[in-house]
Every structure is written in C-alpha cells, then in structure tokens.
Amino acid sequence: MDLVDVDRIREARKLLEGIIRVTPMEHARDLERLHSGAVHLKCENLQRTGSFKIRGAYTRLHGLTADERARGVVAASAGNHAQGVALAASLLGISSTVFMPTRAPLPKLAATRGYGADVHLHGDVLEEALAEAIAFAERTGAVFIHPFDHADIIAGQGTVGLEILEQVPEAATILVPTGGGGLVAGVACAVKATRPDVRVVAVQAEDAAAFPPSLAAGGPVRLTQMQTMADGIAVGQPGPVSYAHVASKVDDVLTVSEESLSRAVLLCLERRKLVVEPAGAAAVAALLQYPGEFAAPVVAVVSGGNVDPLLLLQIIQHGMTAGGRYLALRLRVPDRPGSLVSVLSRVRDLGANVLDVEHSRISGALALGEVEIALNLETRGPSHCEEVRAELQRAGFTVVG
C-alpha cells in the first residue's frame, strides 16, 4: 500500500486555503514543570465546525468526480466527522446524508443539521450507524465518506502537521488524540518527511484503544467492547489504510485513563480558557499522566471542542474529584446545641467551601448523645484536604470517614 506523501499533503493545504483556519498554538506554561521544557497546545478545537475534521472531509469531497458529486455523499459519525462532511458538502454544493448513533450529543446533532445535512439516528454505537450508512450508499449510489480510512482524509488531516512545524519548528514530540488513526497518520506523514527525528505519539482512551492490540497482531483487530467518555475517539477497529500509516510512521501509542481525561478537560477550561471535549483533550491527558515522558518542546494537539454542556458539567465534577478538589467527610460530635455551628465555623476558617451537609442521629454505630455530620466540601487540592481533615481532628471532632 502506498502511503500518503508530503507532496500530497501540501496539495491539500493549497486546496484548503480560505476554507479552514490556521489554528493558534497556545504556550502552556503550567505544564512545563512536568516535562522540563516548553509545552504547546495546537488548538484545533477552534477550527471551523469545532474540530480538525473539516480538513479531511473537504479534501475528500473536493476530489469527487462530477458524477459522484451528483449522487451525493453519506457518512457516519458520533459528531465531529458529521459536521465536517456536512459543511464541506454545503460549500461544494453536494447533498449530504449523515447517520449518527441515537445517543449522539445534542449540540453535535443540531450543528450537523445546521450545516445542511439530512441526519438519521441509528443504533446505540458508531459501528451500527456506520453499517447503516454503508447500506444506504449501496441502496442509493451515494458516495460513502469514511471518517478516517482514506488517503484523501489522511492528506487533509496531515495539514495540521505542516502547521505545527511552522509554528513550533523546534518541536521534539507531538502528541495526537487517536481513534481510527486518520489524524495521527496525516500528522506523522507530514512531520516525518522533513523532521524524522520528531517523536509522534498516538494517544488513545485506555478503554477504547484498538491500536495496541492491532499493532501487536500485525493488522487491524476489533475490540469486543468500549467504554469511555471520549466518544470522538471511541473507534472499535482501525481501517487497513490508517493502520498501515500508523504502523509505518507513528513512533508510540499510549493510553490514558478516564481520570486523566477529565482532569485534562478541567485544566484546559480553567488554565487555558479552552472548551475541549474529552476526545480532544487526550493529548493533554497524556501530559498529565506521563510526567517526564516526553522530550521538549512538546506539542499536544487539542483536536476538538464539541462537548454537550451537561456532559461538560459532569466532567468538571469528575475532574475536580480526581484532582483532589472535593472532600467527603463524616464526623461524630456531641449531640448538643451549637455542635453543627462549631463544625461549620471551623471549616470556614480553614478556607473550605461547604457544598452540602447532612445531620443524622440515626445510626447503630453512634453512641448515646452523639450525632453524625456528613460534609461534602470543595477544597484547593489534595494538601488542603489533608489539612482540613487534620485540623478537624485536632479541634476535637471525631473523623470517621
């Protein structure tokens, strides 16, 4: 199989001029201490449609023949590829149909329809929507636009790599969120052509990581199950085209935990003022989970920012818990007037914020004349949690959990 070369990626870049944005590179100083050098974020969450997908989708659709354009296109996606195809088709005057899982995030669903696609909801997971899209193509003659497994898609995504080398020419490591592999394949092809010394690392969610077993087996392997908040990179099996590129060009594949993903989303929001979806934050999650692992300067691609506000709220809460920003305590205190006020006053003096409190006299573990107070507190971090716990003990309150 012939791999996409840098000349093809450069052609895609010329094609995309005036269509896409050259997204900014943010200097993430707060992450430098973890890797002893400069860390930068390539902000594809600020791209048109909120992710890098428009690059590959427009490149693929522009290459269709007049007859293929007349037949229309069909795609399947959890959201970002859907939006990329819908916008590209609209710009090129091509009719588009998109199949999405029934649980696709509502903002992605609304945006895809807003870009002009005819959207159908089918199945609980992406693979079911994908099968229905392929069946639709066979029935109608519409051209199926694969989300990652096509040379034109890889060439379009590879334009991200060209921009990275121009914005951070001294880059030593590039981290790329990875599902089916189209983005990391394109970035690796673009970068390795002129800077073969740069380490290109694919980052997958550990509970939806198809590349490690596929690379071990020497070919694409299908996962039997997936469970991750990072729906944008939850791909059960690489395609033959993307697999060949990753196996040949990508240096490493790392996986990140759900805890690291939620911490990364929270960090991007709090410190960088960037709204990022869990899949888009996978490279930042790797920076947090593997301190000292990457030679600097490091570039982490932030691949998408299309996140449901309700999911974002849950992720923020999960990220704060993972970062030691919440503390749940149970105290036993004398059952007399003023005990609860005394506890809450002490918590206030320690600088913790009370989120909720429960006061109970009903427990078989309580002695006569005791009550139990359950507190959920917001703190400044793990060391503050320990300080609050220790100070409450020293103040004479019995901390039991």
Side-chain angles (χ1 to χ4, degrees):
M1 179 184 297
D2 292 333
L3 302 185
V4 172
D5 61 26
V6 71
D7 289 336
R8 188 166 182 174
I9 297 172
R10 288 175 179 143
E11 289 175 5
R13 187 174 190 185
K14 291 179 182 177
L15 172 68
L16 292 168
E17 288 180 2
I19 302 297
I20 65 161
R21 298 173 182 144
V22 176
T23 51
M25 187 74 72
E26 289 284 330
H27 190 185
R29 291 180 176 82
D30 46 304
L31 293 170
E32 289 184 349
R33 58 181 176 79
L34 296 177
H35 299 280
S36 303
V39 175
H40 304 271
L41 306 183
K42 175 61 170 168
C43 299
E44 282 295 291
N45 60 309
L46 302 179
Q47 185 56 263
R48 294 184 73 178
T49 75
S51 88
F52 69 96
K53 288 288 191 176
I54 181 63
R55 297 173 182 263
Y58 190 89
T59 304
R60 173 78 173 97
L61 267 64
H62 190 274
L64 297 177
T65 65
D67 175 67
E68 289 172 326
R69 292 189 183 199
R71 287 187 272 139
V73 297
V74 61
S77 168
N80 288 342
H81 177 61
Q83 292 175 71
V85 168
L87 177 57
S90 177
L91 292 172
L92 292 166
I94 301 171
S95 65
S96 62
T97 303
V98 174
F99 288 85
M100 303 176 74
T102 56
R103 297 179 183 178
L106 292 179
K108 294 182 179 181
L109 175 61
T112 303
R113 285 178 170 150
Y115 289 128
D118 181 17
V119 178
H120 300 269
L121 300 179
H122 183 84
D124 292 328
V125 296
L126 178 59
E127 280 70 21
E128 292 174 334
L130 189 64
E132 188 64 17
I134 293 171
F136 178 90
E138 293 173 348
R139 290 195 308 270
T140 66
V143 179
F144 176 65
I145 306 299
H146 200 284
F148 53 84
D149 205 49
H150 192 280
D152 285 345
I153 296 287
I154 291 172
Q157 320 305 28
T159 59
V160 174
L162 297 180
E163 290 179 19
I164 289 173
L165 289 183
E166 291 175 356
Q167 292 169 315
V168 187
E170 70 280 12
T173 308
I174 300 175
L175 306 174
V176 186
T178 300
L183 177 59
V184 73
V187 169
C189 288
V191 170
K192 295 289 186 177
T194 56
R195 288 284 312 282
D197 57 306
V198 174
R199 181 185 178 201
V200 179
V201 180
V203 183
Q204 297 204 281
E206 65 181 22
D207 294 324
F211 269 105
S214 296
L215 292 168
V221 170
R222 179 173 293 282
L223 298 177
T224 57
Q225 61 180 11
M226 296 183 292
Q227 185 65 45
T228 179
M229 68 176 75
D231 63 293
I233 54 173
V235 176
Q237 183 179 16
V241 178
S242 62
Y243 172 84
H245 284 75
V246 171
S248 174
K249 296 291 186 179
V250 175
D251 296 289
D252 294 293
V253 178
L254 297 178
T255 63
V256 291
S257 66
E258 297 295 290
E259 176 180 307
S260 295
L261 287 167
S262 62
R263 288 175 59 207
V265 171
L266 182 60
L267 181 143
C268 288
L269 187 62
E270 281 193 316
R271 303 301 297 273
R272 305 265 58 84
K273 315 308 176 191
L274 295 172
V275 176
V276 182
E277 63 189 285
V284 179
L287 291 169
L288 296 174
Q289 187 166 327
Y290 301 99
E293 171 67 22
F294 310 114
V298 184
V299 176
V301 178
V302 178
S303 59
N306 296 312
V307 58
D308 188 308
L310 294 177
L311 175 60
L312 181 60
L313 177 61
Q314 295 174 12
I315 293 167
I316 290 171
Q317 293 172 335
H318 189 273
M320 291 182 71
T321 301
R325 303 268 293 279
Y326 287 143
L327 175 61
L329 284 177
R330 287 186 298 114
L331 311 175
R332 289 179 189 161
V333 302
D335 185 10
R336 58 172 179 256
S339 290
L340 177 58
V341 171
S342 179
V343 170
L344 296 179
S345 295
R346 190 63 179 167
V347 169
R348 176 201 61 200
D349 294 341
L350 291 167
N353 184 40
V354 178
L355 299 176
D356 59 67
V357 58
E358 183 179 344
H359 184 271
S360 176
R361 294 183 174 86
I362 304 172
S363 172
L366 289 172
L368 188 64
E370 278 188 331
V371 295
E372 184 171 279
I373 299 172
L375 297 172
N376 285 314
L377 308 175
E378 182 182 358
T379 71
R380 293 189 296 270
S383 61
H384 191 207
C385 287
E386 292 305 313
E387 177 191 351
V388 170
R389 186 186 297 274
E391 287 297 324
L392 289 174
Q393 288 273 28
R394 277 194 284 271
F397 305 116
T398 302
V399 179
V400 295

